[in-house]
Amino acid sequence: MIDERFASKPSSIVMAVPPLLSDPQVLEALGMTLYAVGASFAIGTAGGMLVGVILGLQPMLRTAYFPIVMMLLGTPKSLFLPVIMLFFGLGVESAIVFGSILTFVHVTVNVVAGVDLVEPKHLMVAKAYRASRWKRFRHVILPGASPGLFTAIWHGLRNGFTGVVIAQLFTATAGIGYLVRVYSNNFQTDRALTLILMVSLVLILVGTGWNHVEKRLTSWRPDATQ
């Protein structure tokens, strides 16, 4: 009922797995994608954590600049790809920059939401005991905001990966996204769909593992088991 040039049979997808896993081009593309994801995650998360904490703790700065972050969150990020491509070319740099932008925006928003979870009465008690700013941050703000911080890290990783793959689909000359585009253009739908399913499976496994780690590290919270 469906033309196999546009949608492969499940059996064809399964049979395409061994050749792809042993293909040097695919392994090189996977390494390039993981490198770009790691770089964009590190850059975007570091910037998002810093900006998120500052905006969460400084009401004046939050009122002035948080609407800009929310505007970026609601804007289709692919609009920035042509400009990024003009500045950084068709290499891995464009994918890293685009992934960093997506990571930064989502991390910032979730960190600000996490800081909002901190109980004001806990800060008042810390101030009453003359705790320094660093001790208040370490022993009150950081534990209280931990659910938002863990969510920020996961959203940063997921959106960084998405940004890198999308950039590779349209601008890059290497990486998993680039291979998906090449295979699709050459009507090698079995290989294209296999790569897509493999990437989806990796994200599902990483998300499941991260959810388990988050529950273990935040098990001390009263609402962690609810």
Side-chain angles (χ1 to χ4, degrees):
M1 295 177 62
I2 301 176
D3 194 330
E4 291 187 16
R5 293 175 298 176
F6 307 107
S8 295
K9 296 183 295 185
S11 58
S12 300
I13 296 174
V14 173
M15 294 177 60
V17 173
L20 282 179
L21 293 179
S22 59
D23 190 338
Q25 185 182 20
V26 174
L27 297 179
E28 181 182 358
L30 179 61
M32 181 67 69
T33 299
L34 292 178
Y35 165 74
V37 170
S40 63
F41 173 73
I43 297 171
T45 301
M49 287 284 184
L50 178 61
V51 174
V53 170
I54 293 174
L55 295 182
L57 297 178
Q58 299 294 331
M60 184 177 297
L61 293 178
R62 177 172 178 171
T63 303
Y65 296 106
F66 194 59
I68 299 177
V69 178
M70 294 302 296
M71 180 190 69
L72 290 174
L73 182 66
T75 303
K77 313 302 182 299
S78 55
L79 293 176
F80 299 107
L81 268 177
V83 178
I84 293 174
M85 187 170 55
L86 286 175
F87 278 95
F88 297 96
L90 298 176
V92 67
E93 293 82 6
S94 294
I96 293 175
V97 171
F98 188 65
S100 299
I101 293 175
L102 265 68
T103 301
F104 170 80
V105 173
H106 287 84
V107 168
T108 301
V109 171
N110 283 281
V111 169
V112 172
V115 174
D116 287 341
L117 296 175
V118 178
E119 293 284 349
K121 59 184 178 182
H122 294 165
L123 287 174
M124 293 176 61
V125 172
K127 290 180 180 179
Y129 279 95
R130 299 181 182 276
S132 64
R133 289 187 177 183
W134 167 246
K135 288 185 177 180
R136 291 201 300 266
F137 177 78
R138 180 181 176 183
H139 297 291
V140 179
I141 296 175
L142 194 59
S146 58
L149 299 181
F150 280 108
T151 302
I153 293 175
W154 165 239
H155 280 285
L157 179 60
R158 181 173 61 85
N159 285 280
F161 192 95
T162 301
V164 167
V165 174
I166 289 176
Q168 290 177 346
L169 278 170
F170 294 100
T171 67
T173 57
I176 294 298
Y178 167 74
L179 284 185
V180 170
R181 187 180 79 220
V182 170
Y183 291 151
S184 299
N185 291 340
N186 293 332
F187 294 99
Q188 295 176 289
T189 52
D190 54 343
R191 289 192 160 219
L193 290 175
T194 301
L195 283 180
I196 293 172
L197 291 176
M198 290 170 60
V199 169
S200 302
L201 180 61
V202 168
L203 282 177
I204 291 173
L205 293 176
V206 171
T208 302
W210 181 252
N211 186 47
H212 179 70
V213 171
E214 179 183 353
K215 288 182 178 180
R216 289 288 299 272
L217 295 178
T218 59
S219 59
W220 56 271
R221 293 180 58 88
D223 57 346
T225 58
Q226 294 181 0

